[in-house]
Amino acid sequence: LMELSEYSLREDSQLESEVGYSFGFSKKGLLMVGLSEEGIESAMIEMNLSAEFGIPGKFLNEAEVKALEPAMTGRLRGGVYFPEEAHCE
């Protein structure tokens, strides 16, 4: 799955520049938010596994999550941010 993700990131970015128009490729990262201690532990496991395949992630505390995503309200335990991730519409 990690190889597919890396391939997709590389090819979608290149394809958009080759065809000369935007089809909604956006590289803004991926934020996983943990509302509980178990949620944070799960996100950290994913971050550590992803790092083994060269996909960087960073733990964020509650204030950092809310600074990155102001729409997040209420209590949360923190999150993990993958800055290199993207999506395509």
Side-chain angles (χ1 to χ4, degrees):
L1 192 56
M2 295 292 185
E3 290 174 359
L4 179 59
S5 177
E6 290 174 344
Y7 174 82
S8 179
L9 283 171
R10 183 178 58 251
E11 294 300 313
D12 287 345
S13 178
Q14 183 177 347
L15 179 61
E16 195 168 77
S17 64
E18 287 177 5
V19 297
Y21 65 90
S22 174
F23 51 86
F25 179 77
S26 179
K27 190 173 181 179
K28 296 182 180 180
L30 170 70
L31 177 62
M32 297 178 67
V33 177
L35 302 178
S36 66
E37 193 61 38
E38 293 81 16
I40 287 297
E41 288 173 12
S42 178
M44 295 291 290
I45 289 169
E46 183 148 347
M47 181 184 76
N48 293 331
L49 179 61
S50 297
E52 291 178 20
F53 292 92
I55 299 170
K58 178 184 177 189
F59 174 77
L60 304 177
N61 64 32
E62 180 179 1
E64 292 170 321
V65 169
K66 290 179 176 180
L68 183 65
E69 181 49 75
M72 294 299 303
T73 60
R75 296 277 307 150
L76 54 99
R77 302 291 293 179
V80 171
Y81 179 59
F82 296 94
E84 299 297 316
E85 289 299 309
H87 72 274
C88 186
E89 308 243 351

